[in-house]
Amino acid sequence: MFKSFEPNKIFVITSKAPRYVLFLFIVVLTIGLVEALILSPEDYKQSDAVRIMYVHVPAAWISLGIFSSLALLSIGSFVFKNKNFALIAKSLAPSGFIFNIIALVTGSIWGKPTWGTWWAWDARITSMLILALFYGMYLLAWKIYNDKEQVIKVTSLIAILGVVNVPIIKFSVDWWNTLHQPASINILSTNTAIHSSMLVPLCIMTAAFALFSLLIFLMKYNTELIKVKNKGLNRL
Amino acid sequence: MINEIISMNGYGAYVWSAFSFTLISFTALYFVTKLQLLKEQKRFVSKFGSLNPEKARAARSQNINREILSNTSNI
């Protein structure tokens, strides 16, 4: 089943795809920025500070999505004994980490005008900080361990332990009294608290951020494959 | 119009710093990743160049090696 996704077969696609993804990303980001900064309306309560949502929310969504993927890929690499899963997970992690940092920093910037503080040890913010620590540990483990078997085990363990935090982040605003507002969008229902004039730019920015994470993933995955091939040349 | 966009009703410093931080992070991550890719490609080309003809032929028989070399022809 996984044979058609073997690195040797998909490298033809992954090596050429970045230039097209980069072009698409620039187009979608430009449209998203115009929508987010100029065309979308200000909020009746938060005024123009609400525009920070267009970078904060997509960054948080994608960092959570990528960490969940890391955990799934880690379980996959254990179950199917497929090292390509570990390579894919390793290539996804840097963009997930950067999105996590962006969510924390832009959240902090948004917090000042809306809550009057840059930081609060609130359940949602603290659990996002813990996610950043898991991302940090995951990336550090790849740098520290040289033994391939060992590094796959350690990073998989970090990803599987860390993913427990993902539902905590998601439901923290419902389980505890937090400064952070509850979710405004529910993908499982059509009931959303956001007007379409704000939802459209939010979706466009999310698409742009997803394209950026795809771009970084492809470049990083190609780097990892070439590293493997470099070692192969040594063995010839 | 431009002043309104810059000031954002007094929230300009917050809005622009959030967007700037995001775009700077994107740019930095893109260039760091690109540099790592170019470094590995250069290493591959130099290692491939040092192979004897027989080993080079064996390496070239793999599709992925041919693809890496074709992508690095401009390095």
Side-chain angles (χ1 to χ4, degrees), chain A residues 8 11 15-16 22 25 33 37 42 46-49 51-52 55 98-99 102 105-106 109 112-113 209 212 215-216 219-220 223 226-227 229-230 233-234 236, chain B residues 1 5 8-9 11 14-19 21-23 25-26 29-30 33-34 36-37 40-41 43-44 47-48 51 55 58-59 62 64-65 67-68 71:
Chain A
N8 286 333
F11 188 77
S15 64
K16 289 187 174 65
L22 176 65
F25 162 67
L33 286 175
L37 291 167
E42 60 189 71
Q46 296 188 36
S47 184
D48 279 304
R51 294 183 199 280
I52 298 172
V55 284
I98 287 294
F99 279 122
I102 291 172
V105 172
T106 55
I109 295 170
K112 186 62 183 166
F209 281 27
F212 181 74
L215 173 69
I216 297 298
M219 285 163 66
K220 190 81 187 145
T223 308
I226 298 172
K227 256 187 207 171
K229 288 292 144 190
N230 270 333
L233 287 184
N234 289 341
L236 271 176
Chain B
M1 169 77 177
I5 293 171
M8 297 262 173
N9 286 322
Y11 294 102
Y14 300 108
V15 175
W16 289 111
S17 57
F19 277 78
F21 180 80
T22 305
L23 295 179
S25 304
F26 278 11
L29 182 63
Y30 175 78
T33 314
K34 183 86 183 167
Q36 286 172 345
L37 177 62
E40 279 310 316
Q41 283 176 332
R43 194 177 288 165
F44 184 89
K47 272 188 186 173
F48 195 88
L51 293 175
K55 285 180 178 175
Q62 288 187 18
I64 189 164
N65 289 344
E67 196 62 36
I68 296 168
N71 286 334

